Amino acid sequence: MTQAVDLISSQSSPLSLQDFLVWDSGDDHLYELIEGEPMPMSDPTANHEDVADNLCDLLRLHYVEKNLPFVPKRSKLISIGSRNGRDTARRGDIVVFAKAEWERMKGLSSSAIAYIAPPLVIEVVSTNWRDDYLTKLAEYESIGVKEYWIVDYAALGGMRYIGHPKQSTLSIYTMDAETGEFGMPQQFRGDNNIRSTVVPELAVTAQTLWQKD
């Protein structure tokens, strides 16, 4: 991590998004761009990776079976835009692209990044849960993501988000087209059947999203 920090601190000016996409960190960590500064992401736990991988596979199979025009991908960057001339790009655990947009990007030689708001972004909660419930919620809302899922399989979030006593919870935030804001989340636990506007035919329970193989 020291080498990565040294590389970051040596930047004389904020990186633009395009510069960041070709920037070489010199290490194997994944990075996000936060207001022009490359920020290393913490290595996820094995359980976190299994939940995210299994959910991405579940969505991929569903889209193929139902012939739906979506493509789910793991750990892809999402352009959040610029603030005071400083670009931000988040790396979603699962980013669901419109199939037409993914096909368009396949014809390009540049990095596969969501420049327009994806219809669905999913974050699997880690110890830095405030990012998912506060910061990323606001950022994804600001660019018009249609639906945002927070998969808190380990019940790490604050009690004001998942209740007391804490329990594994899926929170689904849906964009209100009239206000341009996310409404209050629908929350699903245990054997609750999830309800999604982006994936309305996905007939699974909340527990299915994080159950062990």
Side-chain angles (χ1 to χ4, degrees):
M1 186 70 72
T2 301
Q3 182 184 10
V5 172
D6 290 343
L7 286 168
I8 295 170
S9 62
S10 67
Q11 297 295 328
S12 58
S13 60
L15 288 178
S16 68
L17 177 55
Q18 295 307 313
D19 287 340
F20 172 67
L21 293 177
V22 297
W23 172 75
D24 183 2
S25 68
D27 60 41
D28 295 329
H29 288 284
L30 291 177
Y31 283 75
E32 296 179 311
L33 184 67
I34 309 300
E35 295 192 0
E37 300 294 332
M39 294 295 176
M41 300 181 69
S42 300
D43 289 333
T45 65
N47 284 330
H48 179 286
E49 286 296 271
D50 279 351
V51 169
D53 286 344
N54 291 343
L55 178 50
C56 192
D57 289 344
L58 176 68
L59 289 172
R60 185 180 295 111
L61 179 62
H62 176 73
Y63 292 141
V64 170
E65 287 181 342
K66 299 295 184 181
N67 194 28
L68 299 175
F70 299 108
V71 178
K73 294 292 179 178
R74 289 276 281 116
S75 299
K76 292 302 179 184
L77 286 167
I78 305 164
S79 175
I80 303 300
S82 180
R83 181 177 180 183
N84 298 323
R86 294 170 176 258
D87 292 339
T88 291
R90 289 289 185 179
R91 193 177 294 278
D93 282 320
I94 301 171
V95 180
V96 176
F97 293 84
K99 188 173 184 178
E101 176 65 6
W102 186 255
E103 291 298 323
R104 184 191 69 80
M105 289 191 293
K106 286 170 62 175
L108 305 176
S109 59
S110 55
S111 299
I113 173 175
Y115 286 103
I116 61 175
L120 173 60
V121 178
I122 300 172
E123 297 290 357
V124 178
V125 176
S126 300
T127 52
N128 56 342
W129 55 267
R130 290 176 179 82
D131 284 349
D132 299 319
Y133 283 101
L134 291 169
T135 309
K136 292 180 183 179
L137 176 70
E139 290 174 340
Y140 295 150
E141 180 183 66
S142 73
I143 63 172
V145 169
K146 291 182 179 178
E147 200 166 85
Y148 174 42
W149 295 13
I150 301 177
V151 182
D152 199 344
Y153 73 97
L156 296 172
M159 288 185 292
R160 63 185 178 278
Y161 299 111
I162 60 175
H164 179 74
K166 292 185 179 183
Q167 54 185 311
S168 302
T169 302
L170 166 67
S171 300
I172 295 183
Y173 291 83
T174 303
M175 178 63 62
D176 185 317
E178 293 186 2
T179 65
E181 299 177 356
F182 286 134
M184 294 298 292
Q186 298 183 84
Q187 293 191 312
F188 307 95
R189 303 176 178 93
D191 61 359
N192 296 156
N193 290 314
I194 71 170
R195 297 188 302 276
S196 164
T197 59
V198 175
V199 200
E201 295 182 77
L202 185 63
V204 297
T205 65
Q207 182 66 34
T208 301
L209 305 186
W210 48 75
Q211 67 187 7
K212 306 298 183 183
D213 292 333

